[in-house]
């Protein structure tokens, strides 16, 4: 390729350099003297070639001699350098190119990069060492930390043997630093250094002359870690690392310039000194060309600013540069030279500041690269340049002005402004087949060490919100000043972060440019196809965390993408005013079923896509003009079977795979910082999701090409000449209105999917910093109060308290500054508006999809999930710094979301169990807060009635617990003693999370209660089935609860030490809570629609009343008996059973009894009292217990009747079991009797009076009933329950029972109790009178 000697023409790019004989044929070549002066100026002679003073004038230089002249200049000093580079260096053994030993030097399962420098742990504790060792001298290498988890980095000898439990530093001849636990390791461990974070660089230094090992973090020495290490004959140390699952790093042994070189220490791999010298010389020559102009008029050389240089096609200049690039281009394929020479040169061009547009020289240089370098050379050069920028940006330390990040982003922007370079980088580097590398550029890392990041200078005054101040005191003047100073510091920080964010958006806008069609396909469509592949990798590998893009990167990427997409969207609207604004953006429903966009087999609302194609093919044809070929359906079904088999085979192959360097290569994202790619962890043959689904076959009149995602063109996406592109198959319900460019619609769809994949979870994780601030603030306040109360005589206690105060204050200062950073990058007002926009997009998309009727089933589940999660994030994660109430159109959005939840929680078109449960939970949470509950009340009446009808459907065969919770929340605040936020016995304890829906103040909905009453009153059949299901579930829940507390008590009585399973305690508490909530629903029903129980003209009223009375009596007897099982377990006060107490369940029962015995009309009260007193379980003592006025009866009275569904209560001795159970509370003898009189803050005087009235009424009625009831012979008792007299006879078999038993039996079974004959009718039975 290179040309040497005088008139030989260069073959590079077919440029022919003119010789003397050709000169007359050339145009634009200057005269010989001026050319000689120019070439001598551009290529000055070295010191050895400079003629001495008085020597003859320098030899003329022309193009025919330039090649040889340039060779001589470049060869100066080369011989010595080459010899030194090739000769072995004393003190080092191994290959000159140092990499990780992936053949024999590892233990465990690891992923190793293509370049053998990046590594990810894929087992419990994996270890690997390098291929080169050192035994003498001073040596260094660097480790780029990609994840801040458990790793031990350092040095080891060949004798070290590692396993899954012991790694570097755990054996005698290995030494390690662990920044996760901030310790050093050499068999034993001690504190050392600082904590590291993702994006840090650790330098590992070994001085074998002084026998010491030292570590540095981001160039700052952490001090000598180990001294007097073993040295001498036969001892040599290898770089080594041990890392746990998912942790990742990359090594730099010297293949690239060390970021933090240490004087006196050599990198393990020699730098390419000779090539480096040549590259710097050649770069100097290029600079000379850029800063020199030939004035042909005056025949002289003119110096000028290189920044104004333009590639104008001057032959002299081009031939000169061609000679330079003949040597420069091959060097620019080497990563060390690109990073050390080219990148630093380009960065100096931008050092002057100003916008990137003001520095066109970089564009001119890139034009020059593409002109004078071979394609493979410029491709490799650009690839290494961009990878170097990625590394530099990712591993730059945080400084107050974010200068490093801004510097690298500006250069990236300048490079991407060059159209041809941008398209190459998009296609081959920034957006590779299985990972969107450019995501790195959109991440702003959070500093772990506040002081090093300069936040102390930026935010000198700290402050934290005093949400814990229960007294509600006003802010003092000092606190106000501190808060304002803190807010000013936060604003300064935010402005600096916004500079970085603006550069990141500029980069994305360049990638989304769809007007640069001069050199082939526009950038946007390259990016869009790669972006879809990126989403596919992250959606398909959710079970393989090592293959996923880190969620903290996804959060930043999402916000920049939203900004860029919305800016292009609104630009398009200005050009086409008939299209819609980005404020009203939505994704048209045809994208979900026309096969133009791949959803990688993500779940649809109606189930699997293959199933929907079969069942809804007629609807697709009639509504969307899309025809499904029967052969397509069959082929799709076969694909499903094959995919299942292949996926299983892939999983089996993965399970038996080998580690580093073998068939199991490094996975997708969790990257070593080199971002180099090896083969995928799961091959494309094994993962069928890598092959897009066959798109739906269109009608013959619509021609649609079926292409893989990466093969789509602009025409396939945007459409042309009657082809709708992505919007093929518009249903009739969808308005025929231009929305925006179709490519932007797919981008919005991808943004919604990104939020669903990992962004929401990451937003929830970052809230922990705010929670930590709150906890430390509470601790600091408590400590200050203790100091104020502490006697001055107790100096020792005061000293401890002051030390604690200092620790808490320091921690709060650190956390408040860190919180300022997080609030600026993640929870700012602008980020909140992004999430709010995403919520609105999902709401409007769901509304449009819902209008298509049955085709709504094609909508992906993640749209509903994102709508619910985005609302949750806005409500819970962005406060108190930003309030959701300040968002534009907040109330309308709440109402729209309420309508979606109300309509779709019981939508038969939605089949997925998980999404249905999520909708139910979201609705349950929605009705807990006043504002969102009012939004539910604002939806149209027809939708409200439909929602209540769905809530009142029978509980069997559906998730009834959440439904019941919704109904309870609509009632809470109206029931008897049901105005509390927290239970009385829990007031002194601190709630885990005060924002939980269950801890919100009562906000009943009278409107929805009225709807419920109307439905139950009008639809008698629905009312009966609903109440029977509620009673059935109450019977089950309370029975389970009693059975579990029996087991807990038995465990407490055992003499050996026992621990109750926490899961069992949780289930027990859940059963109790369910019982209470079911009782409250019964209370609401009997209050709103008492005729369901008391109007016996209704078919099931008497039966329902008897069942209700039976259950109420059973609950009362179990809970109110003296020294009973319930008392004992409550008094244990076990963790997990905090909600189990007398008050909630007894007050719920009391509310029902008061309603039917006191508040009803005379006839209803008479019927209710008669049924209650006739129930064999009735105990007047249980009613008296409510007011604490009962005398203590014997246990025999309690066991009077034990229903078959409830395990009998057994007399229990005082617990003598283990401490964890028996000593947790006081014994029953020490406990005061329960009485509603003790809860004056919870129960009104009117309510107390009603209970007293009820007690006196029942006392009177029970005495009258006892006096008037004639003894009944055993022959006249019902043979089923032995509690009531025989009152019914079955037809045709004539067997008998009481009405209560037969009515309850006929609800589920039509066969006779005794003979199994089918019962055709039931008649009243009257005992015949005697003769």
């Amino acid at each position: 390729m290179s040309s040497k000697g005088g008139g030989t023409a260069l073959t590079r790019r077919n440029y022919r350099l003119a010789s003397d004989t050709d000169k007359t044929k050339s145009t634009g070549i200057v005269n010989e003297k001026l050319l000689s002066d120019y070439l001598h100026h551009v290529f000055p002679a070295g010191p050895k070639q400079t003629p001495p003073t008085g020597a003859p004038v320098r030899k003329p230089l022309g193009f025919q001699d330039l090649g040889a002249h340039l060779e001589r200049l470049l060869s100066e000093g080369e011989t010595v350098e080459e010899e030194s580079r090739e000769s072995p260096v004393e003190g080092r053994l191994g290959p000159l190119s140092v990499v990780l030993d992936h053949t024999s030097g590892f233990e465990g399962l690891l992923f190793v990069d293509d370049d053998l420098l990046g590594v990810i742990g894929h087992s419990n504790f994996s270890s690997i060492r390098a291929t080169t060792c050192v035994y003498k001298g001073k040596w260094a290498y660097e480790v780029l930390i990609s994840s801040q988890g458990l790793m031990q980095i350092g040095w080891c000898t060949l004798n070290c043997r590692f396993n899954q439990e012991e790694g570097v530093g755990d054996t005698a001849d290995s030494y390690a630093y662990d920044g996760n636990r901030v310790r050093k390791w050499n068999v034993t461990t001690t504190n050392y250094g600082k904590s590291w974070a993702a994006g840090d660089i650790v330098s590992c230094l070994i001085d074998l002359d002084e026998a010491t090992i030292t570590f540095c973090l981001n160039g700052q020495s952490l001090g000598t870690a180990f001294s007097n290490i073993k040295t001498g004959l036969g001892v040599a140390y290898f770089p080594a690392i041990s890392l746990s699952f998912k942790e990742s790093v990359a090594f730099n042994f010297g293949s690239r310039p060390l970021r933090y070189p240490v004087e006196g220490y050599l990198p393990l791999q020699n730098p390419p000194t000779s090539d480096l010298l040549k590259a710097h010389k050649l770069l100097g020559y290029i600079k000379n060309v850029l800063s020199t102009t030939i004035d042909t008029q005056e025949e002289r050389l003119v110096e000028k600013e290189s920044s104004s240089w333009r590639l104008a096609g001057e032959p002299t200049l081009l031939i000169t540069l061609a000679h330079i690039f003949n040597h420069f281009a091959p060097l620019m394929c080497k990563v060390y030279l690109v990073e050390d020479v080219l990148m630093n040169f380009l960065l100096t061009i931008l050092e002057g500041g100003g916008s990137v547009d003001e520095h066109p020289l970089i564009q001119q240089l890139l034009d020059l690269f593409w002109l004078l370098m071979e394609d493979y050379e410029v491709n490799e050069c650009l690839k290494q340049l961009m990878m170097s920028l990625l590394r530099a940006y990712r591993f730059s330390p945080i400084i107050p002005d974010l200068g490093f990040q801004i510097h690298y982003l500006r250069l990236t922007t300048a490079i991407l402004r060059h159209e041809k370079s941008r398209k190459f980088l998009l296609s081959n580097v920034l957006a590779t087949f299985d990972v969107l590398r450019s995501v790195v550029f959109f991440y702003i890392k959070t500093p772990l060490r506040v002081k090093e990041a300069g936040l102390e200078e930026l935010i000198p005054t700290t402050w934290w919100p005093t949400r814990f101040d229960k007294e509600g005191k006003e802010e003092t003047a000092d606190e106000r000043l501190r808060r304002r100073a803190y807010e000013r510091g936060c604003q300064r920080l935010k402005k600096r972060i916004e500079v970085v964010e603006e550069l990141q958006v500029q980069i994305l806008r360049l990638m989304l440019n769809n007007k640069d069609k001069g050199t082939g396909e526009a950038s946007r469509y390259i990016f869009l196809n790669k972006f879809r592949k990126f989403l596919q990798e992250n959606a398909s590998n959710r079970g393989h965390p090592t293959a996923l893009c880190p969620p903290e990167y996804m959060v930043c990427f999402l916000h920049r993408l939203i900004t860029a997409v919305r800016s292009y969207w609104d630009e398009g609207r200005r050009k086409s005013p008939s299209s819609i604004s980005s404020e009203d953006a939505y994704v048209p429903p045809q994208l979900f079923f026309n096969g133009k966009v791949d959803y990688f087999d993500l779940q649809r609302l109606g189930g699997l896509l293959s199933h929907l194609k079969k069942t809804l093919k007629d609807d697709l044809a009639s509504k969307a003009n899309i025809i499904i070929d029967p052969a397509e359906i069959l082929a799709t079904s076969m694909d499903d079977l094959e995919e299942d088999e292949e996926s299983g085979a892939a999983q089996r192959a993965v399970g038996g795979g080998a580690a580093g360097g073998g068939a199991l290569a490094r996975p997708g994202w969790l990257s070593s910082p080199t971002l180099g790619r090896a083969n995928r962890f799961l091959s494309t043959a094994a993962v069928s999701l890598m092959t897009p689904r066959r798109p739906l076959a269109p009608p013959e009149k619509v021609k649609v090409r079926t292409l893989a995602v990466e093969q789509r063109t602009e025409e396939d996406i945007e459409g042309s000449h009657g082809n709708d592109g992505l919007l093929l198959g518009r249903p009739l319900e969808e308005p025929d209105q231009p929305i925006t460019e179709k490519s932007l619609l797919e981008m919005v769809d991808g943004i919604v999917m990104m939020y669903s994949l990992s962004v929401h979870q990451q937003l929830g994780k970052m809230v922990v910093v705010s929670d930590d601030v709150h906890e430390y603030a509470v601790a600091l306040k408590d400590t200050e109060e203790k100091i104020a109360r502490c006697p001055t005589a107790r100096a020792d206690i005061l000293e401890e308290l002051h030390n604690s105060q200092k620790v808490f204050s320091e921690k709060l200062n650190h956390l408040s500054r860190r919180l300022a950073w997080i609030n600026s990058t993640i929870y700012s007002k602008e980020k909140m508006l992004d999430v709010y926009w995403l919520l609105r997009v999902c709401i409007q998309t769901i509304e449009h999809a819902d209008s298509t009727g049955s085709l709504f089933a094609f909508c992906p589940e993640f749209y509903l999930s994102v709508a619910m999660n985005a609302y949750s994030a806005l409500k819970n994660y962005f406060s108190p710094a930003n309030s959701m109430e300040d968002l534009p159109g907040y109330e309308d959005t709440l109402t729209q979301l309420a309508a979606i939840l109300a309509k779709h929680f019981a939508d038969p078109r939605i089949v997925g169990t998980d999404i249905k449960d999520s909708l139910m939970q979201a609705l349950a949470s929605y009705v807990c807060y006043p504002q969102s509950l009012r939004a539910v009340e604002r939806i149209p009446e027809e939708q409200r009635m439909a929602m209540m009808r769905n809530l009142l459907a029978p509980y069997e065969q559906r998730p009834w617990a959440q439904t019941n919770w919704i109904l309870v929340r609509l009632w809470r605040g109206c029931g008897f003693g049901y105005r509390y936020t927290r239970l009385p016995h829990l007031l002194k304890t601190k709630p885990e999370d005060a924002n939980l829906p269950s801890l919100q103040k009562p906000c009943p909905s009278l409107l929805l209660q009225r709807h419920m009453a109307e439905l139950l009153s009008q639809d008698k059949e629905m009312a009966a089935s609903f109440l029977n299901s509620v009673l059935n579930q109450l019977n089950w829940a309370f029975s389970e609860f009693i059975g579990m507390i029996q087991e807990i008590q038995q465990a407490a009585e055992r003499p050996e030490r026992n621990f109750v399973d926490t899961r069992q305690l949780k289930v027990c508490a859940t059963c109790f809570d369910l019982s209470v909530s079911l009782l409250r629903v019964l209370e609401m029903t009997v209050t709103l629609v008492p005729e369901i129980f008391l109007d016996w003209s209704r078919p099931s009223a008497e039966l329902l009343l008897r069942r209700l009375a039976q259950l109420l009596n059973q609950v009362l007897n179990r809970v109110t008996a003296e020294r009973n099982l319930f008392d004992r377990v409550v008094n244990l006060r076990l963790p997990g059973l905090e909600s189990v107490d007398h008050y909630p369940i007894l007050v719920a029962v009391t509310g029902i009894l008061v309603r039917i015995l006191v508040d009803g009309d005379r006839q209803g009260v008479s019927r209710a009292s008669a049924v209650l007193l006739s129930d064999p379980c009735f105990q007047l003592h249980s009613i008296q217990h409510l007011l604490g006025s009962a005398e203590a009866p014997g246990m025999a009275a309690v066991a009077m009747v034990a229903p078959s569904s409830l395990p009998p209560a057994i007399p229990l001795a005082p617990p003598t079991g283990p401490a964890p159970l028996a000593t947790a509370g006081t014994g029953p003898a020490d406990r005061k009797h329960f009485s509603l009189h003790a809860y004056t803050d919870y129960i009104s005087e009117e309510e107390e009076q009603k209970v007293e009235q009820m007690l006196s009424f029942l006392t009177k009625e029970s005495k009258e009933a006892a006096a008037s009831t004639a003894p009944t012979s055993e022959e006249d008792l019902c043979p089923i329950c032995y509690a009531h007299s025989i009152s019914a006879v079955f037809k045709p078999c004539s067997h008998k029972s009481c009405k209560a038993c037969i009515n309850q039996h006929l609800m589920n079974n039509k066969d006779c109790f005794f003979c199994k004959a089918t019962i055709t009718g039931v008649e009243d039975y009257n005992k015949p009178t005697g003769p």
Side-chain angles (χ1 to χ4, degrees), residues 69 201 228 382 518 606 617 703 734 784 837 1093 1121 1124 1274:
H69 178 72
I201 296 179
N228 300 319
L382 284 174
K617 63 179 185 296
K703 302 295 184 183
E734 181 66 14
E784 290 171 346
W837 177 79
F1093 295 95
N1124 68 353
E1274 187 172 338

Side-chain angles (χ1 to χ4, degrees), residues 530-584:
K530 301 296 184 180
F531 178 56
R532 208 72 195 176
K533 281 292 182 182
F534 167 76
L535 294 174
Q536 178 175 0
E537 182 182 63
N538 283 275
S540 304
N541 288 313
R542 300 191 77 175
H544 302 278
T546 55
L548 301 180
C549 173
E552 59 270 23
Y553 285 58
M554 293 279 261
V555 172
C556 294
F557 183 36
L558 175 115
H559 288 298
R560 308 304 173 268
L561 202 53
I562 288 175
T563 305
V565 167
R566 290 193 66 181
S567 68
Y568 270 117
W569 187 306
D570 291 331
E571 283 177 13
R573 185 169 189 258
R574 286 192 288 272
K575 297 175 183 176
S576 174
S578 61
S579 60
I580 67 174
S581 164
S582 67
E583 285 291 337
D584 304 315

Side-chain angles (χ1 to χ4, degrees), residues 782-839:
D782 290 344
T783 304
E784 290 171 346
E785 290 175 351
K786 290 177 182 177
I787 291 174
R789 296 195 306 266
C790 183
T792 53
R794 297 304 305 268
D796 53 338
I797 296 178
L798 272 174
E799 183 181 359
E800 288 295 324
L801 288 173
H802 282 298
N803 288 338
S804 298
Q805 183 186 31
K806 181 180 178 182
V807 169
F808 292 146
S809 297
E810 290 176 354
K811 191 68 177 178
L812 275 169
N813 288 333
H814 170 85
L815 286 174
S816 65
R817 292 186 175 104
R818 206 162 164 240
L819 185 61
W821 183 283
I822 292 172
N823 284 340
S824 297
T825 55
I826 298 177
Y827 299 124
S828 68
K829 180 70 173 179
E830 293 75 17
K831 309 302 183 297
M832 188 179 191
L833 287 169
D834 284 346
V835 177
Y836 182 58
W837 177 79
L838 208 56
L839 168 62

Side-chain angles (χ1 to χ4, degrees), residues 712-778:
R712 295 185 306 169
T713 63
E714 177 182 354
E715 184 177 344
D716 299 315
I717 295 170
E718 300 289 359
S720 63
H721 307 298
N723 172 17
D724 286 337
L726 293 182
L727 298 186
L728 173 73
R730 180 178 62 85
L732 297 176
E733 298 84 358
E734 181 66 14
D736 186 11
Q737 175 193 6
I739 303 173
T740 186
E741 295 166 295
K742 300 177 181 68
S743 53
L744 294 180
L745 293 175
E746 186 174 343
M747 289 299 303
V748 172
D749 177 76
I751 290 170
V752 177
M753 190 188 299
M754 274 179 62
Y755 189 91
S756 170
L757 291 175
S758 61
V759 171
H760 181 72
Q761 294 87 329
Q762 183 65 18
L763 288 178
K765 287 180 183 177
M766 298 306 291
V767 177
V768 69
V769 178
S770 176
D771 294 339
D772 288 345
V773 169
H774 173 63
E775 290 180 7
Y776 277 103
V778 172

Side-chain angles (χ1 to χ4, degrees), residues 397-407 452-455 457-458 492-493 495-500 503 821:
I398 298 291
I399 59 175
D401 64 353
L402 298 171
F404 290 119
Q405 286 75 13
I406 292 172
H407 211 34
E452 291 176 20
L455 293 187
E457 293 79 15
L458 202 59
R492 288 193 294 270
L493 173 63
K495 287 180 180 178
R496 296 184 182 187
I497 290 174
E498 284 174 351
V499 174
V500 176
L503 285 169
W821 183 283

